Amino acid sequence: MSQLEPPSTMNCPASSSMYALQDVPGKGKGLIATRKLPRGTRIIVERPLISILADMDDGRRRRFIRQQVEALSNDQRHAFLSMHNIHRFDDVEDQYLGIFSTNALSTLESVVYNDDQPREAVFLEASRINHDCDNNALHEWNARIKQHTVHTIRDIDAGEEITISYVELLEKRESRQKTLRELFGFTCSCRLCSLPDEQSQERDRKLDQIARLNKLWKYAGGEEFTTLPLKTLGYLHSLVRLYSELGLEDDGFATVYKDAAYFVLLHGDAARACLFSLKALSVWEKVVGADHTFSHRCRIEAECPSRLPLYGDESDKWMTAEHEVPQGLEPDDFEHWLWKRENPKDLAQPTSLPKQSHFSGLADLPTKNDVGTGVSSNKRHWCFLGEIVDTQVPHPLELEIKDIHGKKIKLHFYTKDEGSELKPSQYQNGHTVAVLDAARYVFKFGPPGIRHEDPHMVKTFPLSLAMMLGLYDKVRKFSVRQHDGTRKCHGCGVNAPASSMKRCSMCFSFWYCNKECQATGWTTKAHKIDCKFLRDPDLRGLLLVEWDEIQEGIRFPLKIASSSS
């Protein structure tokens, strides 16, 4: 590598009226907002004070940093020397290197030289910003204006410290803490690092899900792009939801929308490509600026996606023009259309349940703090039912389900195997999931749902919720012995002494007067269909159990004496 000349002397940027350099307890100096700063405010624009190649060896780093420091004006050098230094030093070069290493920010573009290589740089203003894992600002090199910028990524109140993250935003707590200790010499005590263990684990779990979904998306090319496009688009939809739940609406969030635009465009869908590009643009304009390369490129792509080379490159199965966007849809319906998700059919509500409380929806459940976990030994037991409408994340498994009241909720698998104990064939859309002694859990990141921990307390059944509730009606009517010792024939509907009737030998559920009645039930009363499902003893048990009478613990497989015998 040829020797590089130091950069020319630059004027110190004037102090901004939007912030002031002040003492911050436990952090030394930091930038404090002097007025309310709305999300998307550009608060700093500056060129680097000192810059070196990121992969430069230690000897070269020392030499080039010293050359650049000595080329600074007296005011600039004084400002540089006043910056924090976490490293011990024995001479001037050590001191300069320590200050640089403590305060340098990464820049992914050529800063001063035209070599197109990643660099590290110290800035008079941006390098004063302290770290917070829950940062409220984002720094980025803007190649189009050849300057470093800092934007607010959420509203900042007057008197609030402006912070950036020194680590990757998708790192988990333990990894973040390790990186900060090793590279910057401090232990972070920010809001995210101070969360209770359970809430921190919940957040780390979502970060794991993002990492796995990113990997699934990254390696979903080739045949899967063509043969399973809805599945691949579902990965991106889940990523958007996870970013939103964690409040990570930054450049990574915009990238997911950009990827979604490219993907639907590959299948000829210009309408959705335009909308996804506009969503990406709205984020990028706020977090990196309207004049950034990302925003500029996205703005062009949103204007007429069908003219781009990617248009229909994989298939034409989703072919649309830019203007083919439905109008007048409710927000939820529009989101279903945008992500090509079928609207779940309205669940048929049971009209003649003998006991409406036999099964529970989310609103009927106690909160997690009110009940124990695992196999319950409480005297009172219950069962939550819901129909699967979407697999939000494959691992750790997270299902979107619709309960008996029609409310959509999330079922999060916190089992040891994080849901992998179930095969994909066991949690298809339209299947019904039963959770024994379920509890309503209030998540820190995301809406209330069910946190499932014991694999023996959940089971899925390959039939819709409406069909399962309909079976409940039938089983209670045609399987249970009446108080007078009679049973009702499933074929003719006549009550007869139980001792004179015969039951189906395959499902052990329905009773008949004779073979003629059995044939009637099989052909005209849908027992041919019902029988297949009722052969599962766990399903029969759920439909027959009297919850108030169970004194011991309950789990799958169910061991419940059948009242139909």
Side-chain angles (χ1 to χ4, degrees):
M1 182 185 299
S2 60
Q3 183 166 323
L4 304 177
E5 296 297 326
S8 58
T9 301
M10 294 161 285
N11 294 326
C12 292
S15 178
S16 169
S17 62
M18 292 184 282
Y19 59 85
L21 182 65
Q22 297 180 9
D23 291 327
V24 179
K27 293 184 177 181
K29 299 286 187 180
L31 299 190
I32 306 298
T34 55
R35 59 182 175 85
K36 185 176 179 63
L37 302 174
R39 179 174 182 253
T41 302
R42 176 173 286 179
I43 54 178
I44 293 177
V45 184
E46 62 178 330
R47 288 175 64 78
L49 188 67
I50 297 173
S51 167
I52 63 171
L53 292 173
D55 61 354
M56 189 175 285
D57 63 65
D58 191 59
R60 284 175 172 268
R61 290 170 75 90
R62 291 170 179 272
R63 185 165 65 254
F64 282 102
I65 290 171
R66 179 169 184 168
Q67 288 176 358
Q68 294 180 64
V69 172
E70 291 175 348
L72 298 175
S73 68
N74 288 335
D75 287 343
Q76 289 174 325
R77 189 179 303 111
H78 176 75
F80 175 76
L81 292 174
S82 70
M83 291 183 179
H84 188 51
N85 185 359
I86 65 170
H87 303 280
R88 297 179 60 182
F89 58 90
D90 297 320
D91 54 35
V92 170
E93 282 193 352
D94 275 350
Q95 181 186 13
Y96 293 168
L97 177 63
I99 294 173
F100 183 89
S101 300
T102 303
N103 297 278
L105 300 174
S106 296
T107 59
L108 300 180
E109 303 282 349
S110 173
V111 177
V112 177
Y113 312 100
N114 295 317
D115 50 29
D116 295 324
Q117 296 188 57
R119 290 181 170 274
E120 296 173 353
V122 167
F123 301 87
L124 281 181
E125 302 286 300
S127 292
R128 297 283 191 179
I129 304 177
N130 288 319
H131 164 82
D132 196 301
C133 300
D134 191 23
N135 55 302
N136 54 26
L138 188 73
H139 69 95
E140 182 80 17
W141 177 255
N142 189 322
R144 298 188 76 229
I145 63 174
K146 301 298 182 185
Q147 296 193 80
H148 197 75
T149 64
V150 178
H151 291 79
T152 60
I153 58 175
R154 63 170 181 266
D155 293 346
I156 300 177
D157 292 328
E160 183 180 351
E161 184 182 11
I162 298 167
T163 59
I164 59 176
S165 178
Y166 295 175
V167 297
E168 291 293 331
L169 293 177
L170 298 182
E171 281 192 63
K172 297 191 291 186
R173 180 167 70 175
E174 184 177 343
S175 177
R176 295 196 309 269
Q177 293 278 16
K178 183 174 184 291
T179 299
L180 292 169
R181 283 194 301 269
E182 292 179 352
L183 297 184
F184 301 98
F186 69 89
T187 299
C188 184
S189 58
C190 72
R191 181 185 70 86
L192 293 182
C193 288
S194 303
L195 287 173
D197 285 345
E198 189 171 276
Q199 292 182 5
S200 183
Q201 290 164 8
E202 177 192 331
R203 188 175 189 277
D204 285 351
R205 172 188 169 93
K206 289 186 180 291
L207 293 174
D208 273 338
Q209 290 174 326
I210 289 175
R212 290 187 175 108
L213 284 166
N214 275 326
K215 186 177 293 186
L216 285 171
W217 156 247
K218 181 179 179 181
Y219 295 106
E223 185 178 354
E224 191 165 318
F225 262 29
T226 304
T227 60
L228 298 171
L230 284 176
K231 181 178 180 180
T232 305
L233 187 61
Y235 297 155
L236 296 168
H237 187 200
S238 294
L239 279 170
V240 166
R241 179 183 55 80
L242 287 166
Y243 269 93
S244 296
E245 289 178 354
L246 293 176
L248 297 175
E249 298 189 9
D250 55 8
D251 55 341
F253 185 58
T255 299
V256 178
Y257 277 123
K258 181 265 295 180
D259 288 341
Y262 286 174
F263 181 70
V264 296
L265 196 62
L266 285 170
H267 294 282
D269 195 338
R272 289 179 177 83
C274 180
L275 293 172
F276 283 134
S277 293
L278 289 173
K279 284 180 176 288
L281 177 61
S282 69
V283 178
W284 267 323
E285 285 184 334
K286 287 182 171 62
V287 301
V288 297
D291 53 4
H292 194 279
T293 302
F294 293 161
S295 301
H296 178 69
R297 184 183 301 145
C298 197
R299 193 177 298 110
I300 294 173
E301 292 169 349
E303 288 177 356
C304 191
S306 60
R307 294 181 182 176
L308 298 176
L310 289 176
Y311 182 61
D313 194 50
E314 283 288 339
S315 76
D316 60 359
K317 62 174 58 179
W318 293 349
M319 194 68 69
T320 64
E322 285 83 355
H323 67 276
E324 294 184 79
V325 177
Q327 304 297 318
L329 294 180
E330 294 295 324
D332 284 349
D333 293 332
F334 187 81
E335 283 296 300
H336 279 294
W337 172 84
L338 181 62
W339 292 101
K340 297 188 74 68
R341 294 180 60 198
E342 293 183 7
N343 271 316
K345 297 178 181 178
D346 291 334
L347 297 178
Q349 296 301 315
T351 57
S352 58
L353 281 179
K355 291 174 63 179
Q356 286 287 344
S357 61
H358 193 84
F359 296 114
S360 303
L362 184 69
D364 309 313
L365 300 179
T367 61
K368 182 177 183 293
N369 292 335
D370 296 331
V371 295
T373 57
V375 180
S376 175
S377 59
N378 297 334
K379 185 175 181 179
R380 172 80 168 88
H381 296 278
W382 59 92
C383 178
F384 169 90
L385 285 186
E387 182 173 321
I388 300 171
V389 296
D390 193 23
T391 303
Q392 294 282 308
V393 183
H395 187 74
L397 185 60
E398 188 174 301
L399 301 176
E400 184 176 35
I401 54 182
K402 201 168 187 180
D403 70 9
I404 61 172
H405 305 306
K407 181 177 178 60
K408 287 192 289 185
I409 67 164
K410 302 291 192 308
L411 173 60
H412 305 261
F413 280 72
Y414 277 77
T415 55
K416 179 181 178 181
D417 295 321
E418 298 183 317
S420 61
E421 64 271 15
L422 294 180
K423 299 177 181 178
S425 60
Q426 293 178 279
Y427 51 85
Q428 298 297 306
N429 289 0
H431 287 187
T432 296
V433 60
V435 186
L436 301 174
D437 291 355
R440 182 177 181 271
Y441 189 88
V442 179
F443 291 93
K444 175 70 174 178
F445 303 97
I450 296 175
R451 175 179 169 134
H452 167 60
E453 299 177 358
D454 187 339
H456 296 290
M457 302 297 279
V458 71
K459 182 166 179 175
T460 61
F461 299 94
L463 70 166
S464 69
L465 180 57
M467 187 172 183
M468 189 163 178
L469 294 173
L471 270 180
Y472 172 82
D473 276 340
K474 293 180 183 180
V475 168
R476 305 297 292 193
K477 185 175 182 180
F478 297 110
S479 185
V480 178
R481 187 198 301 263
Q482 305 301 314
H483 294 299
D484 60 2
T486 64
R487 294 187 187 277
K488 185 178 290 291
C489 175
H490 180 239
C492 67
V494 172
N495 283 353
S499 59
S500 67
M501 302 185 74
K502 304 292 184 183
R503 67 177 173 181
C504 175
S505 61
M506 291 187 288
C507 70
F508 307 108
S509 296
F510 291 173
W511 295 77
Y512 300 95
C513 299
N514 48 49
K515 289 186 177 181
E516 288 75 17
C517 285
Q518 185 178 20
T520 299
W522 186 262
T523 57
T524 65
K525 295 193 174 182
H527 189 55
K528 181 178 181 179
I529 297 173
D530 297 340
C531 185
K532 177 178 64 175
F533 298 116
L534 290 170
R535 293 171 198 175
D536 184 339
D538 284 331
L539 179 57
R540 294 201 306 273
L542 281 181
L543 302 180
L544 288 167
V545 65
E546 299 293 347
W547 298 104
D548 293 333
E549 297 177 5
I550 299 176
Q551 299 297 318
E552 66 280 354
I554 185 170
R555 60 191 293 164
F556 291 111
L558 295 176
K559 297 179 180 179
I560 299 171
S562 173
S563 61
S564 64
S565 59

